[in-house]
Amino acid sequence: MEKIQHRNIFVNGINMHVAEIGEGPTILFVHGFPELWYSWRHQMLSLSSLGYRAVAPDLRGYGDTDAPHSAAAYTVFHIVGDLVALLDALRLDRVFLVGHDWGAVMAWYFCLLRPDRVRALVNMSVVFNPRNPSRKPLQSLRAAFGDDYYICRFQEPGEAESEFARVGTERIIKKFLTSRRPGPLCVPKEVGFGGSSHSPIVLPSWLSEEDVNYYVTKFNQKGFTGGLNYYRAMDLTWEQTAAWTGSQIKVPVKFIVGNEDLTYTTPGVKKYIHGGGFKRNVPFLQELVVLEGVAHFLNQEKPEEINAHIYDFIQRF
């Protein structure tokens, strides 16, 4: 880990913290919620040893990167804009892109908006969902899953932050990273995101107290508002991306998901993935991998397998 270098780069009006290691063709790793560049630590060390340059920023709102307060500053145009500006600052023309969770969402949009900057994409957990021109995302989510659906619960500014503060950052991080509940994730207010404070959370073998402490330290410093603002900007992104309705992902893609991932077990997703809908929207999908017995944070839970899957795919290009 000490071999990974860190620096701050001014991009798109914000200071972005970037971790990097290695030399060779560049892989840009894009993390999700509630995570950091640190989520890619295993992949960075492995792929850099195989002849690649691994670059993993803290996204806007996270870790040691600036966090504008307004949710309106977290549309896909802001996030993809940050990443394109990062490539420009590093003088990189085209990169391999690897995303997970919200990072996967942003990686899809990166490929939609700037396919000229992407050699190939390895995306995890979250499928590409084409824009529905007739209904905003939150309206669709409420209709499908109700007001207790976690994304709906995240919408009111300050509400989730207050609940996280009452529960404590450590328990929130442990609860999210170790969850293996099948989707969709619905959290009634009377239950709360931390669950019962009397039930201990046992860490799996792939997540150490040291790992948890790194996340906790950074989220205690920065807070959760930046990460939550990605959810709060969903409808604004929908409004601003009308011109891309019906557009397909036109870069080579490998998609990986765990069969215990709440994104995979959410109603309708398996049919979309395996029934042809996903392939229609991502016509250059070359590989689809479903890992047995693996949940949402697969790049940390099964690092050796994920490292091998990434390397096997990108070495072809």
Side-chain angles (χ1 to χ4, degrees):
M1 289 288 287
E2 64 275 3
K3 295 179 181 179
I4 296 176
Q5 298 179 327
H6 300 265
R7 56 172 161 159
N8 291 313
I9 302 176
F10 187 74
V11 298
N12 196 25
I14 64 170
N15 289 300
M16 173 172 274
H17 166 248
V18 181
E20 55 186 324
I21 184 173
E23 296 180 359
T26 300
I27 308 170
L28 177 63
F29 292 94
V30 192
H31 71 78
F33 177 90
E35 299 178 272
L36 302 161
W37 76 268
Y38 187 81
S39 305
W40 299 111
R41 58 197 180 279
H42 304 299
Q43 287 70 45
M44 296 181 72
L45 293 173
S46 174
L47 274 299
S48 64
S49 72
L50 294 170
Y52 291 89
R53 179 184 183 185
V55 176
D58 284 334
L59 294 182
R60 172 183 292 242
Y62 288 93
D64 294 319
T65 293
D66 288 348
H69 185 70
S70 171
Y74 290 82
T75 70
V76 297
F77 292 105
H78 292 89
I79 310 307
V80 174
D82 295 344
L83 296 175
V84 171
L86 174 61
L87 299 191
D88 291 344
L90 297 176
R91 298 185 178 182
L92 297 169
D93 181 25
R94 299 171 73 225
V95 297
F96 294 109
L97 197 56
V98 178
H100 170 255
D101 188 79
W102 262 110
V105 176
M106 294 305 166
W108 292 125
Y109 274 106
F110 193 117
C111 294
L112 200 64
L113 301 174
R114 293 302 304 269
D116 58 304
R117 306 299 293 269
V118 181
R119 297 175 71 171
L121 167 67
V122 178
N123 239 1
M124 303 177 212
S125 293
V126 181
V127 294
F128 174 64
N129 285 304
R131 183 181 182 275
N132 180 350
S134 62
R135 190 156 68 171
K136 292 183 178 182
L138 286 172
Q139 186 182 358
S140 296
L141 292 172
R142 281 200 170 92
F145 307 123
D147 290 336
D148 288 339
Y149 187 56
Y150 78 106
I151 292 176
C152 301
R153 293 265 276 107
F154 283 169
Q155 291 306 306
E156 184 63 33
E159 191 172 289
E161 290 92 330
S162 296
E163 184 173 333
F164 289 1
R166 288 194 302 272
V167 173
T169 303
E170 181 179 343
R171 187 170 181 86
I172 289 295
I173 292 296
K174 288 182 176 180
K175 193 71 175 177
F176 272 103
L177 294 185
T178 64
S179 176
R180 304 187 84 84
R181 285 174 53 185
L185 177 59
C186 293
V187 186
K189 290 185 179 181
E190 59 270 21
V191 175
F193 285 99
S196 172
S197 59
H198 302 294
S199 59
I201 299 175
V202 179
L203 295 184
S205 60
W206 54 267
L207 186 67
S208 69
E209 289 289 351
E210 182 182 4
D211 296 331
V212 170
N213 289 339
Y214 187 89
Y215 289 112
V216 170
T217 298
K218 295 302 180 182
F219 277 98
N220 277 337
Q221 291 172 355
K222 183 70 69 177
F224 287 93
T225 298
L228 292 167
N229 278 343
Y230 286 65
Y231 299 92
R232 294 166 183 164
M234 289 172 66
D235 278 355
L236 181 57
T237 283
W238 178 88
E239 293 174 13
Q240 295 178 347
T241 53
W244 285 270
T245 300
S247 295
Q248 297 173 309
I249 302 297
K250 293 289 187 69
V251 305
V253 174
K254 180 174 188 172
F255 183 74
I256 312 170
V257 66
N259 74 330
E260 296 183 12
D261 193 325
L262 80 170
T263 64
Y264 187 66
T265 56
T266 294
V269 173
K270 292 180 185 178
K271 181 179 179 181
Y272 173 66
I273 290 177
H274 301 291
F278 189 32
K279 178 70 173 178
R280 281 194 298 272
N281 293 313
V282 187
F284 300 154
L285 177 67
Q286 297 187 10
E287 286 191 56
L288 171 62
V289 179
V290 180
L291 298 176
E292 295 295 320
V294 180
H296 184 63
F297 296 94
L298 67 176
N299 53 316
Q300 297 181 77
E301 182 179 347
K302 295 291 183 182
E304 292 83 8
E305 290 183 44
I306 296 300
N307 298 345
H309 276 299
I310 295 171
Y311 179 67
D312 178 64
F313 188 62
I314 67 175
Q315 69 173 333
R316 305 174 194 173
F317 302 94

